[in-house]
Amino acid sequence: IDILSSNSRKLSCQRSLLLIRLVLVAGSAASNNYSERNTNRARLTMQPMAALAAAFMLAMQSTALRPASSRLNKGLRAAATSEDLLAEAEKLRREANAMEAAMESELAPPPPPPEPSKPKTVAGVSPEEALDWTGSAFAGAIELEQEDGSKRRTPAEWSPWYGAGESLVFQRELALPLGIILEEAGGGAIRVAEVREGGSGEQCDIRPGDVLRACSAISSTIVYGNAMFPLDGANTKWRRTLAPCDMQPFETVMEHVTSNEGTILLVLEREIK
């Protein structure tokens, strides 16, 4: 292809030079036929003609070269390797896949909202069981179920036995018997000394070292029938209250604990380790 292109250029240049010479010779011969006094006018007339002929031949030369260059381009395009074609095809396939993915994302339904995060449990105590920390004490309302099925809310507050941020106070209801052993600790506190295997304390995750701050206690009241016959129609009603365990004699705390029937509510303080 390169050899044919160079040969075509050489032939075109030779033709152009030959035609320019012929035009110049013709112009020189025509100028000799004029008289001496018209010599300058003849030269001025033929010079533009020669320049016009040269420009015309250069234009013909460029036109003649165009087919050769187009044939060269066709040859170069034909010389493209199979690797180039495969690369181009791979590029087009990636673009098509990207367009398809974009269309699918536009048509796809919106994702469902994220599920609410579960409350964080600290030292085995859920947020529902833990009492609020006010900055100086643990405070909350303790609900106690009464004989008629109603619930009585008792506001309560406890200062921490440990330093601020080192413990938490929580409430937890357990079935009787408890399966735990209580002991007196320093400072007037009652502490869980041991948790028996298989008992209610183990099932409800009561741990040794938990401090008993309060517990539910049942007190009974006799309701008489009438003034004349007080024993006629008399019955006993009980009420569940919240009994404090701080700075109390050990025997008193045990009376509160054993007064419960069926279930007992404990308010405990647990150190965060």
Side-chain angles (χ1 to χ4, degrees):
I1 294 173
D2 293 336
I3 295 173
L4 292 174
S5 178
S6 62
N7 291 337
S8 63
R9 291 194 186 96
K10 290 180 181 179
L11 290 175
S12 299
C13 292
Q14 290 176 1
R15 291 175 182 174
S16 299
L17 294 174
L18 180 59
L19 289 174
I20 291 172
R21 289 178 181 176
L22 291 174
V23 171
L24 293 176
V25 170
S28 177
S31 63
N32 291 332
N33 294 331
Y34 287 89
S35 58
E36 188 65 24
R37 62 194 162 93
N38 293 328
T39 300
N40 293 333
R41 184 182 298 175
R43 288 178 180 176
L44 292 174
T45 304
M46 294 308 297
Q47 286 179 355
M49 292 177 62
L52 181 61
F56 176 77
M57 295 310 300
L58 289 176
M60 291 296 294
Q61 179 184 357
S62 63
T63 304
L65 289 176
R66 286 178 185 173
S69 62
S70 63
R71 287 193 301 271
L72 178 62
N73 292 335
K74 290 181 180 179
L76 292 176
R77 287 195 299 269
T81 61
S82 60
E83 288 79 4
D84 296 335
L85 295 176
L86 291 175
E88 185 68 19
E90 182 65 22
K91 180 180 178 181
L92 293 174
R93 186 175 66 180
R94 288 196 300 268
E95 292 178 356
N97 292 338
M99 293 176 62
E100 183 178 0
M103 293 178 64
E104 289 180 354
S105 63
E106 292 179 358
L107 297 177
E115 296 182 358
S117 58
K118 295 182 179 180
K120 185 178 180 181
T121 300
V122 179
V125 178
S126 65
E128 292 80 9
E129 298 174 316
L131 274 68
D132 297 330
W133 172 251
T134 62
S136 59
F138 294 98
I142 308 300
E143 288 189 352
L144 297 172
E145 187 175 358
Q146 302 302 313
E147 183 181 10
D148 58 358
S150 63
K151 290 186 177 182
R152 179 182 179 185
R153 295 173 61 89
T154 303
E157 184 175 290
W158 290 273
S159 298
W161 280 105
Y162 304 94
E166 297 180 2
S167 63
L168 50 83
V169 174
F170 63 98
Q171 56 178 324
R172 188 166 292 174
E173 191 169 12
L174 289 78
L176 295 173
L178 290 176
I180 62 176
I181 297 176
L182 299 174
E183 66 177 2
E184 293 183 88
I190 305 298
R191 184 174 58 190
V192 177
E194 184 182 347
V195 178
R196 297 291 179 86
E197 183 178 356
S200 178
E202 183 186 37
Q203 295 173 4
C204 295
D205 193 25
I206 303 300
R207 303 178 184 181
D210 291 346
V211 178
L212 181 61
R213 305 303 304 270
C215 69
S216 60
I218 293 179
S219 60
S220 59
T221 303
I222 298 177
V223 179
Y224 298 98
N226 53 63
M228 294 183 62
F229 304 96
L231 298 179
D232 187 12
N235 58 8
T236 303
K237 290 187 177 181
W238 59 267
R239 185 180 64 172
R240 179 172 288 175
T241 60
L242 186 66
C245 299
D246 296 337
M247 310 300 294
Q248 299 293 323
F250 186 76
E251 293 77 9
T252 303
V253 173
M254 295 306 298
E255 289 178 1
H256 295 327
V257 172
T258 56
S259 68
N260 291 271
E261 296 179 0
T263 61
I264 182 173
L265 181 71
L266 301 180
V267 178
L268 301 165
E269 182 173 354
R270 178 173 295 173
E271 184 179 9
I272 301 175
K273 299 179 181 180

